[in-house]
Amino acid sequence: MKSTNYRRLVLCLACLGSLASLQAQTTDPSRSLLETAQLHQDYASANYLGYLHDLPQLGRLPLEREHAAYRQMLATLMLQRTDRPEELVNRFLTEHPQSLDRAEAQLLLGLIYLEQGHYSVAQEELRRVPLKALAPREAAQLQLALGYSLLKDRRGMEQLAEAKAALEQAADLDSGLVGAQATLYLGTIAQLEGKTALARELFRPESYPEALRPEAACQLVLLEFATQQPEAALSATQPLLRSYPSLSSRPDIRGAQGQAHFALGSYAEAVRYLQPLLTESGYEPNAGERYALGASLYALGRYDETLKALEGVETDKAGDYGAKTLFVQANSLLKLGQSSAAALAFSRAAAHPAADRQLREAALYNGVLLQYQTQRANFGQTVRAAEAFVKEYPQSKHHAEVLGLMKRLFLTNKDYSQSLATLQRLQLQSRDLDEAKQYVLLRLGEDALSKGRYAEAEQRLSEGIKLATQPDYTAQCYLLRALTYLQEGRYAESARDVQHSRSAQFSVPLSAYVEGYAYYNAKRYSEAQRAFTSYLSQASSEPTARRVDALCRRADSYLVQHRSKEALEDYRAANELAPGGNDEALYRMAAIQGRWGNYAKQIESLDLLARLYPESAHLPEVLYDKGRAQILSKAPVSEAQRTFSQLIQRYPETSYARLGALELGMVSYNAGRHEEAIKAYKDLIARYPDSEEARSALSDLKNIYIDLDRVDEYSAYASTLGKQLSPSEEEGAHLQYLSLESKYKKDKEGTVSALENYVRTYPKSRDAGKAELLLARHYEETQRSAEATALYTKLAEPARSLDLRIPALEALARLQKAEGKLAASTASWSKLYALEGLEAPQKIRYGVQLASSAHEVKDYKRSLAVTSELLKRSDLGTSARSALILIKGKSEEASGATGQALKTYEALLKQGDSPEGAEGIVRHADLLLRSGKPAEARKNLDSFIAAGTTQQYWLARAFLLLADCYQRTGETYLAKQYVESLRDNYKGSEEDIQRMISERLASYK
């Protein structure tokens, strides 16, 4: 019911009440009394300006002085000359505590508070008014106001009872308009108490004055709709609506009629009654009306209008209609193809406290399904939603489907550690989830194996084997654990696991290959040969490199078993199978030919190998075997000497060079060329003084000198060997540095002073620079930045070797950036990038760092120049290319070249799973939005979010930007839903994300 303007009503009552006695005093025709009578007439006829103008004349009569202040205050209020009426009345009460009009003023103050909506304060003031001081009608007015305020401020049955008592007293005190109004409110209380028959009786229009009959009829119509079935209510209210045609235009009546038609399934009729309420001036449709309208529009297939109708519903305050509204919104969004927004709405409907079990089940199911299909939510959120569904609705027809969906989630999630932690948390018994867990353990074991973490790999794979849910996964776990054991040297266990993998109905060529290596490394060559044979029989589609390796290992196994013919055939097959041949196979073929005594053929094969594979790791062996073949084939001594000399010259640090040097001496010795032999042996001892070959050479030298009767000469030579075999000063310095380096790794702090002393003592040694580099790193780690910078600067000088300059410049760049010297850091990266002789990966890495640093110091010209230069290279890796594209786009954006930046970022739009790609996608969308293209920005963000990404920070930024797009196009309710969802589900701790969420939510209010 509409509230009455109590202030105006009581002001009129107060004025008229006081005038009755005053007018009785105007019978004296004297001039003063005639003037007074004129003032009374002005006041009674609401001529307040005239009244206030001549008010001072009332002071001539004693009785008039008693009322003057009160009536002046009333006139001021009636002319609305104050925007704080309560202050005016309170001032009157304070200044005139004994006024005859005090009770009326207190009543007026209570009514003012009531009109302002301060119901508790109004009740307090009204209860203070002494009823006996008021005329009956004013007392009735007070009780009406008190009852009304209690109804508006109702907090329990106790207040309702007090309101009822006040209204009954008002009805008893006044038989006119005030009493009738009180009776109407009593009807409302009867309806609240469930006394429908009494309420219906109290709302009978014919019982009321003419002015209140339409209102009574209205309340009766609303009562019928609230208490009867829709069809009966529509029928019962027709006579009243015909009797009072003005009611048909009232929004609350139309709302009740529309809801009744909705309940009856007359959706077009419901829309006809309810839709105009959205634009009704001064009327705000309630949640029930909006829901009925939205659901009717949905039933009629008008989905855009459905969303508009439901947009104004505050679902958290809409009671039973909140969950229903969200559910209809979700279905409408789904019909409109806005799957991501629909998933969000379904999720909110399921979580709504007013959702009944059936609605919650449907909302949860649809929400889970859409979250999975659109990948709008993150992995954890989707799993939690699915978990809630299967736990809450174990008998649902969708139960098995959701469990299968959960399994697929785990099978596709790339973060296997997260998946395992989630599976361990879930308290669900399901074969689907056990199968998913076995798959996750398999992948974790595979990852640990690839990174050399064998203990972890064994643990994960053993757990997967124990689950034994899916035979293929079990077999793969066995096979990978076999590889783990192989790497750990546990060959018997490796072979056993391979056999288990085959018995688990899983057969791949790789299992035979791994088994072959297990037996091969265990020196069980006949079993290795059979395993490699099994592999090769089924390996037609296997990688060529693996097949070549299997042929070589089988050949090795044949060779150990003295089956040289079969070994030669396998080596030959491996050489022919490998693209461009295989140097190992060719070397082994030559060795077999040497074993057979076919030295000419062996030498020919070895020469072919050296020519075809100039970078082969077997070349030292090749030259040694060739020299031996020349000796055994009795070729001219000079040929063997030439071969061994080449070996020593080309590969002086290899064991074959030492053996070759020994062979040189022996060849000359056996040929009787003693001086050549003596020289060769002395050269060997001088070159390799601490080797076994040197000791053998010294023994042969002794024999030669004895044979030559030159014992004194040998003694003189031998006396020199002690010093020669001892480390030289340079070698001593080198050995001292190596010792310090080893100690430094174990005890940095305790070795620093020794390193400093080493640099002072051996400033020109070959290791002085390395020692300085160690010191500089220690100074850097211990916050001695000035000393570290001084050493790094010295080591970075152009005269230094690259192995010192490069780490020094890198460290300088790092230190300078940490100290905020960004320009200096950029200069250091620039020097690194300009170095000659860099390998391609180094050149690219330093270029990326230089471009990034230049962008950071706002040197966009240099940043763009470096990125443009590097992006022309054909040997860029994917990560480096993405990083350079991102820096280039950011530099163009910062330079104001928005169009070019948009074009640059396009290259990253399909790389949403990388940090650079994710940032590029969000920046591209942000530029589109700032360029006035919110629809295009939203489309790109939807694609990015739906594709999924491990870059959770940029995913959160995408959600915020998507909300901005919706807000830009006027869809603030969707924007708010996205931001609230992000606030409730984002697990990151970045301050800027939390700040942006708070700012947006504040702006929506």
Side-chain angles (χ1 to χ4, degrees):
M1 297 175 66
K2 292 185 177 178
S3 63
T4 304
N5 190 325
Y6 290 103
R7 185 176 70 172
R8 184 68 63 189
L9 177 58
V10 171
L11 287 176
C12 292
L13 289 173
C15 293
L16 293 174
S18 62
L19 285 176
S21 60
L22 293 173
Q23 287 174 337
Q25 303 175 37
T26 62
T27 56
D28 189 334
S30 69
R31 176 178 176 78
S32 60
L33 291 180
L34 287 173
E35 291 174 350
T36 302
Q38 181 60 48
L39 283 170
H40 292 331
Q41 186 63 39
D42 288 341
Y43 192 78
S45 61
N47 181 14
Y48 301 116
L49 285 173
Y51 177 79
L52 285 173
H53 181 266
D54 294 322
L55 184 62
Q57 297 179 48
L58 288 178
R60 298 172 184 170
L61 297 175
L63 186 60
E64 293 299 330
R65 284 199 296 273
E66 291 294 330
H67 295 288
Y70 178 60
R71 292 174 64 186
Q72 182 176 12
M73 181 264 291
L74 288 178
T76 302
L77 285 178
M78 297 301 287
L79 289 171
Q80 296 183 340
R81 288 185 170 180
T82 176
D83 56 357
R84 300 296 297 273
E86 71 280 7
E87 292 181 358
L88 187 65
V89 179
N90 271 311
R91 186 163 60 250
F92 169 79
L93 290 170
T94 301
E95 294 174 355
H96 304 278
Q98 304 300 322
S99 172
L100 297 176
D101 302 302
R102 182 173 182 81
E104 285 84 354
Q106 287 177 298
L107 172 59
L108 177 60
L109 182 59
L111 294 175
I112 288 172
Y113 284 129
L114 180 65
E115 187 178 9
Q116 292 173 342
H118 303 317
Y119 302 116
S120 297
V121 180
Q123 292 163 30
E124 185 178 346
E125 291 297 332
L126 291 170
R127 289 189 182 109
R128 290 176 182 170
V129 179
L131 281 176
K132 294 180 179 180
L134 297 174
R137 192 175 185 196
E138 290 173 307
Q141 179 67 20
L142 183 147
Q143 296 293 0
L144 173 62
L146 180 60
Y148 176 78
S149 70
L150 288 165
L151 279 178
K152 293 291 288 185
D153 191 36
R154 182 163 55 92
R155 293 189 293 270
M157 295 306 295
E158 185 177 343
Q159 273 193 310
L160 188 63
E162 185 182 356
K164 183 177 180 181
L167 292 167
E168 286 175 343
Q169 190 170 358
D172 290 341
L173 288 168
D174 183 74
S175 59
L177 192 64
V178 173
Q181 185 72 45
T183 304
L184 267 179
Y185 286 134
L186 286 169
T188 301
I189 291 176
Q191 184 177 348
L192 290 172
E193 292 176 333
K195 300 175 181 178
T196 304
L198 176 59
R200 188 174 284 113
E201 178 64 25
L202 290 172
F203 286 146
R204 286 174 51 242
E206 57 270 21
S207 303
Y208 289 88
E210 190 67 32
L212 285 181
R213 286 179 184 177
E215 183 64 28
C218 176
Q219 296 306 312
L220 185 56
V221 169
L222 292 175
L223 174 66
E224 299 297 347
F225 279 112
T227 59
Q228 295 202 56
Q229 293 297 318
E231 189 171 6
L234 286 169
S235 176
T237 56
Q238 287 306 310
L240 286 167
L241 294 174
R242 283 194 296 270
S243 297
Y244 300 96
S246 63
L247 296 183
S248 297
S249 62
R250 285 189 55 151
D252 46 1
I253 299 292
R254 293 182 63 81
Q257 290 173 308
Q259 290 183 80
H261 283 295
F262 165 70
L264 292 171
S266 303
Y267 302 122
E269 279 295 290
V271 171
R272 184 171 70 84
Y273 279 99
L274 294 169
Q275 197 162 37
L277 299 182
L278 296 178
T279 55
E280 179 78 24
S281 177
Y283 185 76
E284 179 61 34
N286 61 40
E289 292 164 343
R290 281 187 176 272
Y291 169 72
L293 173 58
S296 298
L297 289 166
Y298 177 83
L300 296 171
R302 295 157 65 177
Y303 307 121
D304 281 316
E305 293 178 81
T306 299
L307 292 176
K308 183 175 178 61
L310 299 177
E311 181 178 352
V313 179
E314 292 188 61
T315 53
D316 56 340
K317 300 178 183 177
D320 293 343
Y321 293 107
K324 296 177 182 178
T325 296
L326 287 167
F327 192 71
V328 173
Q329 279 181 328
N331 280 290
S332 300
L333 290 165
L334 188 60
K335 291 289 187 181
L336 292 169
Q338 299 182 41
S339 302
S340 301
L344 181 62
F346 277 127
S347 177
R348 295 185 66 209
H352 199 282
D356 60 30
R357 185 168 178 79
Q358 184 178 4
L359 184 146
R360 178 170 165 77
E361 178 183 357
L364 269 177
Y365 169 70
N366 283 286
V368 169
L369 199 63
L370 282 172
Q371 282 183 13
Y372 174 74
Q373 290 172 349
T374 63
Q375 298 184 20
R376 170 71 61 181
N378 60 38
F379 166 80
Q381 186 178 350
T382 306
V383 169
R384 285 193 296 273
E387 178 188 6
F389 180 86
V390 296
K391 282 185 174 180
E392 190 169 344
Y393 300 98
Q395 305 303 320
S396 171
K397 64 180 180 180
H398 303 297
H399 189 267
E401 180 185 356
V402 174
L403 281 173
L405 181 148
M406 291 178 75
K407 181 180 82 171
R408 292 194 295 276
L409 277 171
F410 287 111
L411 294 182
T412 55
N413 183 34
K414 298 175 183 178
D415 189 340
Y416 301 117
S417 296
Q418 180 194 31
S419 292
L420 181 60
T422 304
L423 284 163
Q424 289 171 337
R425 177 186 61 77
L426 294 175
Q427 298 297 315
L428 295 172
Q429 297 297 320
S430 163
R431 183 176 178 82
D432 279 325
L433 296 183
D434 284 346
E435 184 177 329
K437 184 176 182 180
Q438 187 179 23
Y439 173 81
V440 169
L441 288 166
L442 170 62
R443 296 283 80 87
L444 285 170
E446 181 181 40
D447 181 66
L449 173 61
S450 69
K451 295 174 180 175
R453 302 198 299 266
Y454 302 124
E456 180 186 341
E458 180 186 349
Q459 178 189 346
R460 295 304 187 198
L461 295 169
S462 297
E463 290 173 4
I465 290 167
K466 187 176 180 180
L467 278 174
T469 306
Q470 217 280 356
D472 280 357
Y473 297 159
T474 304
Q476 290 179 58
C477 285
Y478 270 121
L479 182 56
L480 290 179
R481 193 171 72 171
L483 277 167
T484 304
Y485 288 148
L486 187 65
Q487 295 294 336
E488 293 180 313
R490 298 161 66 178
Y491 306 125
E493 292 164 284
S494 177
R496 182 199 63 205
D497 270 7
V498 169
Q499 292 168 3
H500 281 310
S501 76
R502 283 199 291 266
S503 65
Q505 311 302 317
F506 175 78
S507 180
V508 293
L510 180 62
S511 61
Y513 180 78
V514 174
E515 184 181 28
Y517 256 104
Y519 288 134
Y520 181 86
N521 288 329
K523 303 186 185 307
R524 295 164 62 176
Y525 296 110
S526 61
E527 292 162 288
Q529 165 229 312
R530 285 194 293 271
F532 284 125
T533 299
S534 174
Y535 168 75
L536 291 166
S537 68
Q538 51 184 319
S540 57
S541 60
E542 284 283 281
T544 300
R546 189 181 295 166
R547 291 160 62 198
V548 169
D549 182 65
L551 282 167
C552 288
R553 299 294 78 77
R554 187 173 71 171
D556 292 346
S557 301
Y558 279 135
L559 203 58
V560 172
Q561 298 176 76
H562 306 289
R563 298 169 62 178
S564 300
K565 183 178 180 181
E566 291 95 329
L568 183 63
E569 290 174 357
D570 272 0
Y571 288 133
R572 183 178 290 117
N575 186 53
E576 293 172 354
L577 178 61
N582 181 274
D583 59 334
E584 181 188 3
L586 193 56
Y587 174 73
R588 300 299 180 200
M589 290 165 61
I592 291 173
Q593 290 160 349
R595 180 181 291 189
W596 288 348
N598 191 350
Y599 301 118
K601 187 65 175 176
Q602 181 186 15
I603 292 169
E604 181 184 334
S605 296
L606 292 171
D607 285 340
L608 177 64
L609 191 156
R611 186 172 66 254
L612 293 177
Y613 308 103
E615 303 299 326
S616 172
H618 294 288
L619 288 183
E621 299 171 75
V622 167
L623 287 173
Y624 179 75
D625 285 355
K626 180 182 176 182
R628 287 291 300 159
Q630 288 169 332
I631 292 172
L632 294 172
S633 66
K634 303 189 183 305
V637 173
S638 59
E639 293 183 14
Q641 288 176 324
R642 185 165 52 251
T643 300
F644 289 129
S645 296
Q646 290 175 351
L647 170 60
I648 296 166
Q649 181 182 358
R650 294 178 186 175
Y651 310 104
E653 302 303 322
T654 65
S655 61
Y656 292 100
R658 298 195 299 272
L659 289 171
L662 187 61
E663 290 286 348
L664 265 180
M666 291 174 64
V667 166
S668 299
Y669 181 30
N670 291 333
R673 300 177 180 178
H674 297 122
E675 295 304 324
E676 289 182 15
I678 290 171
K679 183 179 183 307
Y681 283 135
K682 285 185 177 181
D683 287 346
L684 187 156
I685 293 168
R687 189 185 294 268
Y688 311 109
D690 297 322
S691 65
E692 288 295 326
E693 289 79 8
R695 282 185 280 275
S696 295
L698 191 60
S699 176
D700 282 353
L701 267 177
K702 180 180 177 181
N703 291 331
I704 291 173
Y705 278 120
I706 290 173
D707 288 345
L708 295 176
D709 197 18
R710 294 163 59 181
V711 176
D712 293 340
E713 187 177 338
Y714 171 76
S715 297
Y717 169 72
S719 66
T720 65
L721 293 182
K723 182 179 179 181
Q724 185 173 348
L725 292 174
S726 300
S728 64
E729 182 177 350
E730 180 180 354
E731 189 64 16
H734 175 61
L735 292 173
Q736 185 177 342
Y737 168 74
L738 292 178
S739 174
L740 286 173
E741 184 183 52
S742 177
K743 291 177 182 177
Y744 179 80
K745 292 176 182 177
K746 301 171 186 175
D747 181 14
K748 293 182 180 180
E749 194 64 42
T751 318
V752 170
S753 61
L755 277 170
E756 292 170 338
N757 184 59
Y758 178 90
V759 172
R760 288 192 297 270
T761 306
Y762 304 105
K764 296 186 181 299
S765 70
R766 57 177 174 168
D767 298 308
K770 296 178 183 177
E772 289 175 323
L773 192 59
L774 280 181
L775 282 171
R777 287 173 179 163
H778 179 74
Y779 293 155
E780 180 184 355
E781 291 170 1
T782 54
Q783 310 302 316
R784 295 164 65 178
S785 301
E787 294 166 271
T789 301
L791 270 181
Y792 281 138
T793 303
K794 177 182 175 184
L795 293 168
E797 292 173 355
R800 295 287 186 144
S801 59
L802 285 182
D803 62 332
L804 295 176
R805 287 195 74 198
I806 288 174
L809 282 169
E810 286 186 3
L812 277 174
R814 184 174 60 249
L815 274 172
Q816 290 157 347
K817 182 174 182 178
E819 293 170 357
K821 300 174 181 177
L822 300 182
S825 178
T826 304
S828 295
W829 288 121
S830 180
K831 290 177 183 177
L832 279 165
Y833 183 64
L835 287 177
E836 294 291 335
L838 291 176
E839 296 291 337
Q842 286 179 298
K843 183 77 173 178
I844 293 167
R845 182 164 66 88
Y846 297 148
V848 172
Q849 291 285 359
L850 174 57
S852 177
S853 187
H855 173 268
E856 195 171 359
V857 298
K858 300 183 180 180
D859 187 356
Y860 304 124
K861 183 177 180 180
R862 174 181 280 188
S863 177
L864 289 170
V866 174
T867 53
S868 298
E869 178 183 356
L870 286 173
L871 286 170
K872 294 175 184 177
R873 297 180 67 112
S874 59
D875 55 352
L876 278 178
T878 302
S879 178
R881 183 173 294 279
S882 298
L884 288 166
I885 291 172
L886 180 61
I887 295 168
K888 184 172 184 286
K890 288 162 69 175
S891 298
E892 290 165 343
E893 183 180 346
S895 303
T898 302
Q900 187 58 46
L902 277 168
K903 185 176 180 182
T904 299
Y905 287 142
E906 285 176 0
L908 299 173
L909 295 185
K910 295 184 179 180
Q911 301 179 29
D913 212 33
S914 70
E916 298 83 8
E919 183 178 354
I921 291 169
V922 174
R923 286 184 173 278
H924 182 267
D926 184 52
L927 282 180
L928 286 175
L929 179 60
R930 285 193 275 140
S931 301
K933 299 177 180 178
E936 190 174 346
R938 191 172 77 181
K939 178 182 177 183
N940 288 357
L941 289 169
D942 276 333
S943 298
F944 169 52
I945 295 169
T949 179
T950 57
Q951 306 303 317
Q952 293 303 302
Y953 172 83
W954 288 108
L955 184 62
R957 289 287 298 272
F959 269 94
L960 289 166
L961 188 55
L962 186 59
D964 293 344
C965 293
Y966 278 110
Q967 187 179 27
R968 181 71 62 84
T969 56
E971 297 175 270
T972 305
Y973 76 101
L974 277 179
K976 181 180 178 185
Q977 288 181 352
Y978 279 115
V979 177
E980 287 177 341
S981 177
L982 181 63
R983 176 197 62 194
D984 296 339
N985 294 288
Y986 185 62
K987 304 303 180 186
S989 59
E990 295 87 359
E991 291 183 3
D992 61 332
I993 295 293
Q994 301 305 325
R995 174 178 52 76
M996 287 187 274
I997 289 173
S998 299
E999 288 174 351
R1000 281 162 175 75
L1001 289 177
S1003 72
Y1004 300 152
K1005 292 180 183 179

